[in-house]
Amino acid sequence: MTFAATVQTQASTAIAAFAHYAQNHRVTPSRQCEELAIGRGRATVPYTNHGGNVTMLWMNVSPMMQQYLDAKAACGDALLLFRMGDFYELFYEDAKQAANAVGLTLTSRDKGTNPIPMAGFPHHQLEGYLAKLIRMGFRVAICEQVEDPQQAKGLVRREVTRVVTPGTLTDEELLDPKESNYLAAVVWSSRAVEEKPSGRRSRQGEPQVGIAWAELSTGRFFSATVPARQLGDELTRIAPAECLMAEGQPHGLPEIGKTITITRRPAWVFGRDNALPALLKHFQVANLEGFGFDDGDQLGLQAAAGVLDYLQETQKASLEHIDRLTPYRVGTCLEIDQATRRSLELTRTIRDGARTGSLVSVLDRTVTAMGSRLLVEWLNSPLTDPLAIGQRLDAVEELSADSQFREALRTPLRGIYDMERLLTRVATGRATPRDLSFIASTLRLLPAIQAILAGRSAGRLSELSQLLDSCEDLERALSEALCDECPLLAREGGIIRPGYHPPLDQLRELASGGKEWIARYQAAEADRTGITNLKIGYNKVFGYFIEITNAQRDRVPIEYTRKQTLKNAERYVTPELKEYEEKVLTADEQAHEIEYELFVQLRDQVQQAGKRLRQTAYALAELDVYAGLGDLALHRGYCRPQLGNHSDLKIVDGRHPVLDITEPDGTFVPNDTIANAESGYVLLITGPNMAGKSTYIRQVALISLMAQMGSFVPAREAHIGIADRIFARVGASDELSRGQSTFMVEMTETARILNTATQRSLVILDEIGRGTSTYDGVSLAWSIVEYLHDQIGCRTLFATHYHELTALQNSLTGVANLNVEVKEWNGKVVFLHKIVPGAADKSYGIHVAELAGVPESVNERAKQILIHLEHEHGGGARQVSRPRANHIVRRPTQYQLTLFDPMDHPLFDELRQLQIEHLPPVHALQLLQKWQEQLARDGEDRTCRQ
């Protein structure tokens, strides 16, 4: 066997073995070493001693370690779990890494001059250690014994049966039942590598990216070709656990706020010539047009081929359950960029990244794992087709209105197992007897669900009823064959119900009868020998034996053959006992083999019905989502939204869906929202901190998003124009690792909104411009509002503390001022959290500081400074005219002009009162000197204060 191994870059286990040997013998691997040759029982590698001479070293390798090295060479950089009896063992560098990562005890094999590092754990602890290693980012290869040790001649044959990576998990113990676990691949066009997307509004001929993602545990497989600028948004939506990229590909993945394991693959896997033939071969079709693909999907198909190749290499099992590749089209779903997903906390909170407190945590009232995952998918990809949305809303409405119907449906749904993932374990040959029993239990519930759905008026409910396939023949076979309580392991018996297979019953009866004979034999021997405490026992080493204490040793018959000596007793065997032992054990072993064969036959039957069952599983998940949303709508008083292809927005008594549940009942204050051509599409919301501006604008975005995913919404009435995109710029965060300040992040996200929003978009902005100086911030906020109003014309909710912006209502017909109502009482502020028309006149920041516990002396000083500043600047917001678009203000070198009215100054009063016609020249010169000195003193005072 020969394989390439560059010492400088590849840490193969074989080279690690020689490196370990060389360390003890003061030699180092040759830097010119290109290949490592390992022969059967001997391995040779060139080494360089400290004198620079190349020496060929060889080591004897035991057959077991040779088998290990062969397996390690086949699995690359993955940690190899090598099955040895009842343990999984790791050797060399793998052992050191695993011991350090998960706390295994590091020991050694072949203790002597060249011990081999070794670590391991019992085979029944595989899932636990596998989960830990995968969470830490390792790839893990599992090398199993693939033949029965009792039947093997010589060394038991072992093979790598699968490679487990973060994106290829199928084990129930390794997966979150409520979350999908995707493996993705990305392929860039040559232009996408060469060009960085500019982010400008022109999209003609922009570079493209192919992306594909599959969930091995359910068989779902998607492909898309998207503009390169949208890659980060799509990866955020998909949230893959692992992403495949071609070797040598210089283009990195965008930051998406989630740790993704990057796996490099040979470039040819993603090649144009390889992609289509590989996909056609797997799906056994002549072309992919039947799946909905065309010539513009080439990059996406190349990515899909890379995903499929990786799954075939790592799983080493059937992938028949991946029977369809679905095209994903940009525009069919509401586009939500990664910043918006983070700001709106759709599936994770910003503070701690937890599911609790996010939107999905309050929407999720599903009773199955499949339904919970589908709800997340709908939330991540709301629809833009009003007909499709209407179908979903019809189903939710019927389930919400009829409580008896809803509870009748949810009752059997609670007994449904995770069919999607069960079927994947069947297809990959990893299903257990218990998995088959779960499938049988699910199938038994389907007729009742179909009966409950009969005659329903909602079109989608009727369609789903037709998609449910109870597979009566399969259900009958499983129910008749399987025991009520199936074991987890397939080779230990106890799977098949008595009476199902007569030959099996005969073997069981023989095994049971033999055990009864042994009991009778023990009693008979005790009577015959007079040894009353004689007993018959069994262990795996000696089989059945007769145990007699040393006190009764003199009474042992001559025909007894001594088998084992204990401290206080002797163990014997007789010809009769040995004969019956063989019959019993043979019967047990044969029964177990027959049970396993019957189990495999049942598993194959399930696999043959896999396509019908996967269709049924998806229908059950969708029914569960509708029932959960209907239950939520009824108990929280949600209304059905009215949607249309327009840009208007009318929400009556809208509530924030998360706070409405997490806050005590009756404490959340509902608010109206109206945006249309008459009242204006740009809503400027002013008011103090903590009054609820951010909550208000967020709730509008969340209500719109919920409506487009097909959910009822927390409001008394809702008329919502379908949006193509939702943008949210809420909150501040530094990205120091990328060298970006809070303000830079804010401006980058704002730039993206301005460059990509359309008239059908919904934009919510919170405190834009606060990361820079007051005048810069006001200027930016002012111009951004103008751009949104003049150039885009989309629905916009703009929360701000810049009260100067409220003057825009006078010059822009589409701008409307709103503010959060506040009452002052005895020097205190009461936040009413009610949005009313008009502009706020101040921010009450000092009052909020008092509530936060800022020292009283600081607050009092702040009040003094505020009074002074308000006097100098003339009080609150001023009524200013809209600056001309082509007017450029040039600033003097020493003084900065404000955007608004100049400050009052005593010198101005003197100038106004001065009667120039009666002023002698000498007096004029004296006044000029006086005013010059006064301005100089004022400048010095301002410098000191700054």
Side-chain angles (χ1 to χ4, degrees):
M1 180 188 71
T2 304
F3 67 94
T6 304
V7 177
Q8 291 174 288
T9 60
Q10 182 173 334
S12 77
T13 298
I15 287 187
F18 288 112
H20 183 72
Y21 175 86
Q23 184 179 6
N24 295 337
H25 294 78
R26 296 183 61 75
V27 294
T28 56
S30 170
R31 298 239 177 225
Q32 288 75 38
C33 171
E34 291 286 334
E35 291 188 346
L36 171 68
I38 302 179
R40 182 59 56 187
R42 172 176 292 190
T44 308
V45 66
Y47 270 79
T48 304
N49 61 23
H50 289 281
N53 299 318
V54 176
T55 305
M56 300 301 292
L57 300 177
W58 60 269
M59 294 176 59
N60 287 326
V61 180
S62 68
M64 176 72 76
M65 292 309 297
Q66 178 66 55
Q67 195 178 57
Y68 171 82
L69 292 174
D70 291 345
K72 181 60 182 176
C75 68
D77 61 351
L79 297 181
L80 179 63
L81 302 183
F82 191 71
R83 181 70 180 266
M84 297 178 66
D86 290 336
F87 284 80
Y88 285 103
E89 302 288 2
L90 301 98
F91 299 99
Y92 300 112
E93 291 302 314
D94 283 6
K96 294 179 181 179
Q97 290 187 56
N100 182 60
V102 296
L104 295 175
T105 300
L106 187 64
T107 180
S108 60
R109 178 181 173 87
D110 298 334
K111 302 182 188 297
T113 58
N114 188 40
I116 299 172
M118 179 176 73
F121 53 85
H123 72 95
H124 63 269
Q125 297 178 2
L126 173 63
E127 288 79 11
Y129 282 106
L130 196 56
K132 292 178 182 178
L133 291 169
I134 294 299
R135 279 197 298 267
M136 299 185 75
F138 289 101
R139 301 171 71 247
V140 182
I142 301 175
C143 184
E144 297 282 8
Q145 298 174 172
V146 294
E147 64 177 336
D148 190 340
Q150 297 181 354
Q151 299 178 0
K153 295 181 179 179
L155 190 64
V156 176
R157 187 163 57 91
R158 294 176 174 84
E159 291 180 0
V160 175
T161 56
R162 59 173 169 151
V163 179
V164 184
T165 70
T168 60
L169 305 179
T170 57
D171 302 83
E172 184 178 359
E173 297 80 1
L174 306 181
L175 290 167
D176 185 335
K178 293 188 175 184
E179 292 189 2
S180 298
N181 189 76
Y182 284 114
L183 167 71
V186 176
V187 174
W188 281 268
S189 66
S190 56
R191 283 194 59 210
V193 175
E194 296 166 1
E195 301 179 18
K196 184 176 181 180
S198 65
R200 300 188 181 279
R201 296 186 66 84
S202 174
R203 302 299 177 203
Q204 297 298 323
E206 66 178 316
Q208 302 289 301
V209 174
I211 182 170
W213 60 102
E215 186 176 31
L216 181 62
S217 64
T218 63
R220 307 189 70 193
F221 194 9
F222 302 89
S223 172
T225 301
V226 302
R229 62 185 168 83
Q230 291 185 213
L231 178 60
D233 298 341
E234 294 301 326
L235 288 176
T236 303
R237 178 181 63 82
I238 299 164
E242 182 177 5
C243 190
L244 310 178
M245 296 170 56
E247 291 176 345
Q249 175 58 264
H251 201 291
L253 294 181
E255 297 287 340
I256 68 168
K258 179 182 186 296
T259 302
I260 301 178
T261 298
I262 306 299
T263 301
R264 293 286 183 172
R265 302 288 293 157
W268 65 265
V269 169
F270 302 99
R272 195 180 178 94
D273 296 336
N274 173 74
L276 188 60
L279 294 171
L280 295 180
K281 180 180 179 181
H282 174 78
F283 294 113
Q284 298 182 354
V285 294
N287 58 64
L288 295 177
E289 294 178 5
F291 288 168
F293 291 94
D294 53 37
D295 294 340
D297 297 312
Q298 181 61 43
L299 286 173
L301 294 178
Q302 290 174 229
V307 169
L308 188 62
D309 177 82
Y310 187 67
L311 292 177
Q312 290 169 339
E313 179 180 306
T314 57
Q315 298 310 294
K316 305 182 186 302
S318 170
L319 297 177
E320 290 183 8
H321 67 296
I322 302 178
D323 55 8
R324 180 177 179 81
L325 179 61
T326 304
Y328 174 82
R329 301 296 183 200
V330 174
T332 59
C333 294
L334 176 68
E335 294 182 30
I336 312 170
D337 63 28
Q338 52 187 314
T340 301
R341 291 181 189 277
R342 182 179 63 250
S343 297
L344 296 181
E345 299 181 306
L346 300 184
T347 58
R348 288 284 184 271
T349 60
I350 296 175
R351 179 179 295 275
D352 54 11
R355 194 176 198 264
T356 303
S358 67
L359 178 60
V360 73
S361 70
V362 300
L363 295 185
D364 191 356
R365 294 204 176 189
T366 60
V367 294
T368 71
M370 298 183 295
S372 186
R373 292 196 300 270
L374 183 60
L375 177 68
V376 173
E377 184 177 319
W378 284 10
L379 183 58
N380 280 327
S381 305
L383 303 177
T384 55
D385 180 3
L387 294 178
I389 299 171
Q391 281 191 322
R392 291 183 179 179
L393 291 173
D394 289 343
V396 174
E397 183 173 27
E398 187 163 356
L399 283 158
S400 173
D402 191 338
S403 296
Q404 185 176 358
F405 166 45
R406 185 183 64 256
E407 288 308 312
L409 178 61
R410 282 161 69 85
T411 297
L413 284 175
R414 290 186 177 93
I416 297 294
Y417 288 93
D418 195 342
M419 286 274 285
E420 290 179 328
R421 289 181 172 174
L422 289 173
L423 292 171
T424 294
R425 293 202 286 275
V426 169
T428 55
R430 301 187 188 112
T432 68
R434 196 170 295 171
D435 290 338
L436 297 192
S437 72
F438 291 160
I439 293 174
S441 297
T442 298
L443 293 177
R444 284 195 290 270
L445 294 170
L446 295 183
I449 295 175
Q450 288 175 311
I452 294 168
L453 293 172
R456 290 298 157 186
S457 58
R460 188 55 182 166
L461 293 181
S462 299
E463 292 174 5
L464 293 174
S465 178
Q466 298 301 315
L467 291 175
L468 294 176
D469 189 339
S470 58
C471 298
E472 295 177 1
D473 52 343
L474 176 62
E475 186 275 322
R476 189 181 307 110
L478 293 174
S479 297
E480 290 176 354
L482 297 173
C483 291
D484 293 335
E485 297 292 336
C486 280
L488 191 60
L489 301 178
R491 291 190 176 274
E492 295 185 359
I495 304 171
I496 303 300
R497 190 186 299 276
Y500 176 77
H501 191 71
L504 175 61
D505 292 338
Q506 293 174 5
L507 288 171
R508 285 173 170 172
E509 186 176 349
L510 175 61
S512 176
K515 293 174 183 177
E516 292 175 2
W517 178 89
I518 287 173
R520 292 196 302 269
Y521 182 70
Q522 176 177 317
E525 286 299 291
D527 289 341
R528 184 175 73 86
T529 61
I531 305 174
T532 56
N533 61 352
L534 173 152
K535 63 180 181 180
I536 297 179
Y538 172 84
N539 65 36
K540 291 184 178 180
V541 178
F542 296 106
Y544 285 99
F545 54 81
I546 300 173
E547 184 172 301
I548 299 175
T549 62
N550 290 338
Q552 302 290 334
R553 188 188 307 171
D554 295 340
R555 297 187 177 187
V556 174
I558 192 171
E559 64 271 20
Y560 279 25
T561 302
R562 188 167 60 186
K563 196 74 173 177
Q564 183 183 15
T565 300
L566 304 179
K567 181 177 180 181
N568 298 317
E570 297 281 352
R571 290 176 175 176
Y572 304 87
V573 65
T574 66
E576 296 87 355
L577 186 60
K578 194 65 178 175
E579 179 182 351
Y580 274 92
E581 175 195 334
E582 291 175 359
K583 289 182 179 180
V584 170
L585 295 180
T586 301
D588 269 342
E589 291 174 1
Q590 290 178 347
H592 288 170
E593 285 299 319
I594 289 177
E595 282 197 87
Y596 181 74
E597 292 173 2
L598 293 173
F599 162 73
V600 172
Q601 292 174 14
L602 292 169
R603 188 180 66 191
D604 291 343
Q605 283 184 256
V606 174
Q607 184 170 353
Q608 291 170 7
K611 190 169 185 178
R612 297 157 62 193
L613 293 174
R614 281 189 289 277
Q615 174 183 281
T616 295
Y618 186 85
L620 290 169
E622 193 169 339
L623 286 169
D624 188 23
V625 173
Y626 291 140
L629 292 176
D631 187 72
L632 177 69
L634 176 69
H635 289 96
R636 299 305 304 179
Y638 287 8
C639 75
R640 174 172 179 157
Q642 305 301 315
L643 294 104
N645 286 318
H646 53 76
S647 296
D648 292 354
L649 188 64
K650 179 183 178 182
I651 300 172
V652 179
D653 286 345
R655 311 187 301 276
H656 191 290
V658 178
L659 297 181
D660 185 44
I661 290 180
T662 57
E663 294 292 313
D665 287 342
T667 60
F668 189 88
V669 178
N671 278 295
D672 299 344
T673 305
I674 297 177
N676 54 40
E678 182 179 351
S679 63
Y681 285 114
V682 179
L683 307 182
L684 276 173
I685 304 102
T686 51
N689 287 306
M690 289 184 60
K693 299 191 304 297
S694 297
T695 296
Y696 174 68
I697 64 175
R698 276 190 174 103
Q699 81 184 32
V700 173
L702 293 176
I703 287 173
S704 300
L705 189 149
M706 288 172 59
Q708 291 191 222
M709 69 170 277
S711 170
F712 279 30
V713 298
R716 183 160 56 87
E717 183 182 342
H719 300 267
I720 297 172
I722 294 177
D724 60 352
R725 299 172 174 88
I726 288 181
F727 296 98
R729 164 91 274 282
V730 179
S733 61
D734 287 309
E735 295 190 19
L736 300 180
S737 63
R738 299 169 61 189
Q740 294 187 354
S741 67
T742 301
F743 185 65
M744 184 61 182
V745 173
E746 177 183 313
M747 288 296 102
T748 300
E749 293 176 1
T750 303
R752 180 166 190 183
I753 295 172
L754 299 179
N755 286 320
T756 56
T758 71
Q759 188 175 5
R760 294 288 302 278
S761 300
L762 173 62
V763 175
I764 66 171
L765 298 170
D766 189 20
E767 303 297 350
I768 291 296
R770 62 185 169 184
T772 184
S773 71
T774 301
Y775 294 142
D776 279 350
V778 171
S779 302
L780 281 167
W782 185 293
S783 60
I784 288 168
V785 173
E786 286 184 340
Y787 190 88
L788 289 167
H789 178 276
D790 297 343
Q791 303 298 323
I792 301 177
C794 62
R795 291 160 289 180
T796 303
L797 281 79
F798 196 108
T800 183
H801 277 96
Y802 294 139
H803 298 153
E804 294 85 355
L805 299 185
T806 59
L808 284 168
Q809 178 175 294
N810 301 325
S811 56
L812 301 179
T813 58
V815 172
N817 285 328
L818 301 174
N819 74 94
V820 190
E821 196 170 8
V822 174
K823 294 294 183 182
E824 293 188 61
W825 182 261
N826 292 331
K828 302 295 182 181
V829 174
V830 179
F831 300 119
L832 301 182
H833 305 294
K834 194 68 179 176
I835 304 295
V836 296
D841 58 354
K842 53 184 176 179
S843 294
Y844 297 95
I846 296 176
H847 294 82
V848 175
E850 290 177 355
L851 294 175
V854 172
E856 183 178 357
S857 59
V858 175
N859 287 319
E860 291 302 320
R861 177 57 179 156
K863 292 176 182 177
Q864 296 172 6
I865 297 172
L866 177 61
I867 293 172
H868 175 71
L869 292 176
E870 287 181 341
H871 173 73
E872 282 195 347
H873 289 262
R878 294 181 176 271
Q879 300 298 318
V880 296
S881 61
R882 181 184 180 188
R884 295 191 303 274
N886 60 352
H887 179 66
I888 300 175
V889 178
R890 300 189 181 276
R891 298 179 177 177
T893 56
Q894 294 182 349
Y895 301 97
Q896 175 176 303
L897 295 179
T898 68
L899 184 63
F900 310 105
D901 290 352
M903 296 184 297
D904 291 333
H905 195 282
L907 186 148
F908 298 153
D909 294 334
E910 290 189 45
L911 280 172
R912 294 189 189 103
Q913 297 172 8
L914 191 64
Q915 297 180 2
I916 299 177
E917 64 274 13
H918 302 298
L919 185 67
V922 65
H923 289 174
L925 291 174
Q926 290 173 348
L927 282 173
L928 285 173
Q929 182 180 6
K930 170 189 169 185
W931 292 340
Q932 188 178 44
E933 292 173 353
Q934 185 175 348
L935 287 174
R937 287 195 300 272
D938 290 347
E940 292 174 359
D941 291 343
R942 283 195 297 272
T943 302
C944 293
R945 287 198 298 270
Q946 292 173 356

